[in-house]
Amino acid sequence: MLTFEYSTANRDMPVAYGSFRAMHTLCEVLIAGTARPAAEELIRKIYERAGVLESKFNRFDPQSGVSRMNRSAACGETTVDDELYGALEMCRVFNRSTCGSFDIAVQSEERPSGEAYLLQPSRHAVRFTGTGVTLDFGGFAKGYALERIKQLLIKETAGSALVNFGNSSVLALGVHPFGDHWPVGLANPFRDGEEAYGFKLRDGALSISGHTPEHPRHIIDPGSGGYVARDGFVAVQGRSPLVAEVLSTALFAAPETKWSGIMENYTDYRAVRIGCDRDGTVTVTEIT
C-alpha cells in the first residue's frame, strides 16, 4: 500500500512524502521543490518500480524470476531475462573485486569450491555447478533498486530527493533544500532516541550492514561458511547505491585481514566500522 502526503508549510519549498513496503522493509521517499501532481506521479512510479524489482529478485516468492531460476538452473542451462542476466554478471564481478566476500551463493546448501554458476552470454542463460546451489540477492537488490530509482529521479528532473530503504540503504539526490547536505543518522541500538553516528550525503548513497539486538548473527562469511561473530556495523558512503550496498555487505562478512585488499578496488568510497556497546559507548574506525 502506498501512502502520500504533501506539505506547503513553506510555500517556496513544498515537500512530498511517500511510503510503502518493498523488499521486506519500509521504503520512504522525500521529494522537495516539486509541484504536487508531478511529485505524486513520481512517487507512484518509484513504488511501481520497486514492486517490479521485488517480484524479480525475491527468492522467497515462488513466482519470482530468481525462484524460477533457482529451481531450474541446477538441472541444466536456463534462460533468464536481460535484467536478471545483467545482475548475475555484475555479481560475478563484485565477487572477484571483494576477494570473494560478496557471494550471492552463500546461502547454498552445498557451495561448490569454484564458480557457483556459469553464464552463457549468447543465450543469456545460466547453469548452476551443483545441485545444492541457491542464489540470494539480499545484499544486492535494494542497492540495485536505488540505482534504478536514481535514474528515474534524474529523468524526471527531481533536484532534491531522499529515498530510504529501512534505514540501511539510502539514496540522496542533490542536497537538503535548507542545507548543504542530507543528514542521515545511524540509531544507537542500546540507547533509545540517540544517534550512534551521523552522515552527510550530497548526491550520493549510504549502505549499512551489521548485527542488531533484534537481528543478531544473520550475515554469513563466504570464506568460512559460518555466521559472522562480530557485532556493530559497517557503513559505506559513495556515489553508487549499488556499490555501497555490495561493499558494506562484503566488508562486514569478510575477516579484517581482507579489508585493505577489498578497499584497494573501491578508493572512491568511504567505509567505517561502528561499534555500539551496551553501556552506550560508540567507537568509529575508518576502514582503509
Side-chain angles (χ1 to χ4, degrees), residues 120-136:
Q120 173 48 255
S122 64
R123 293 188 293 275
H124 275 199
V126 57
R127 178 172 62 83
F128 294 170
T129 58
T131 56
V133 171
T134 297
L135 301 187
D136 186 303

Side-chain angles (χ1 to χ4, degrees), residues 261-279:
I262 294 172
M263 290 304 296
E264 285 178 359
N265 297 318
Y266 296 95
T267 55
D268 293 337
Y269 287 77
R270 179 189 177 223
V272 294
R273 178 181 178 180
I274 303 168
C276 301
D277 294 335
R278 292 187 178 276
D279 64 1

Side-chain angles (χ1 to χ4, degrees), residues 15-274:
V15 176
Y17 171 83
S19 66
F20 55 89
R21 292 200 66 82
M23 299 187 176
H24 311 292
T25 192
L26 178 68
C27 180
E28 298 176 286
V29 183
L30 193 69
I31 300 174
T34 300
R36 177 170 186 144
E40 190 166 8
E41 176 66 10
L42 181 51
I43 289 176
R44 183 188 64 79
K45 289 181 179 179
I46 290 171
Y47 167 69
E48 292 175 349
R49 181 70 55 87
V52 168
L53 293 174
E54 180 176 31
S55 69
K56 184 186 298 288
F57 289 107
N58 180 9
R59 77 177 177 96
F60 299 103
D61 175 1
Q63 302 305 315
S64 73
V66 168
S67 285
R68 293 196 300 269
M69 176 187 66
N70 279 337
R71 288 194 298 269
S72 59
C75 302
E77 190 174 273
T78 299
T79 301
V80 296
D81 67 33
D82 292 351
E83 187 167 50
L84 183 51
Y85 187 86
L88 290 166
E89 287 187 313
M90 285 188 283
C91 288
R92 187 163 63 178
V93 172
F94 285 133
N95 177 261
R96 294 168 181 169
S97 66
T98 60
C99 308
S101 295
F102 176 80
D103 187 353
I104 59 173
V106 74
Q107 298 282 351
S108 300
E109 291 182 7
E110 297 178 14
R111 176 66 168 86
S113 58
E115 296 277 1
Y117 59 91
L118 301 176
L119 298 175
Q120 173 48 255
S122 64
R123 293 188 293 275
H124 275 199
V126 57
R127 178 172 62 83
F128 294 170
T129 58
T131 56
V133 171
T134 297
L135 301 187
D136 186 303
F137 289 81
F140 175 94
K142 290 197 295 294
Y144 181 78
L146 285 176
E147 204 74 64
R148 296 293 302 276
I149 290 168
K150 178 181 177 180
Q151 295 170 1
L152 182 59
L153 288 167
I154 292 172
K155 179 181 178 182
E156 300 293 335
T157 66
S160 182
L162 191 76
V163 185
N164 178 2
F165 270 109
N167 297 322
S168 65
S169 302
V170 184
L171 166 69
L173 192 67
V175 298
H176 191 283
F178 301 107
D180 62 356
H181 64 272
W182 284 99
V184 178
L186 169 66
N188 189 324
F190 300 111
R191 291 290 183 90
D192 289 343
E194 288 191 14
E195 184 179 279
Y197 193 72
F199 301 87
K200 298 178 179 180
L201 301 186
R202 305 180 187 92
D203 268 326
L206 172 70
S207 178
I208 301 171
S209 297
H211 291 146
T212 65
E214 294 78 19
H215 297 93
R217 305 293 188 270
H218 67 282
I219 297 175
I220 298 174
D221 173 8
S224 68
Y227 287 101
V228 177
R230 76 170 63 93
D231 292 320
F233 308 91
V234 167
V236 175
Q237 188 174 348
R239 192 77 174 174
S240 164
L242 175 56
V243 173
E245 173 123 354
V246 166
L247 193 50
S248 72
T249 301
L251 288 170
F252 194 86
E256 293 183 26
T257 53
K258 284 189 175 183
W259 283 358
S260 61
I262 294 172
M263 290 304 296
E264 285 178 359
N265 297 318
Y266 296 95
T267 55
D268 293 337
Y269 287 77
R270 179 189 177 223
V272 294
R273 178 181 178 180
I274 303 168

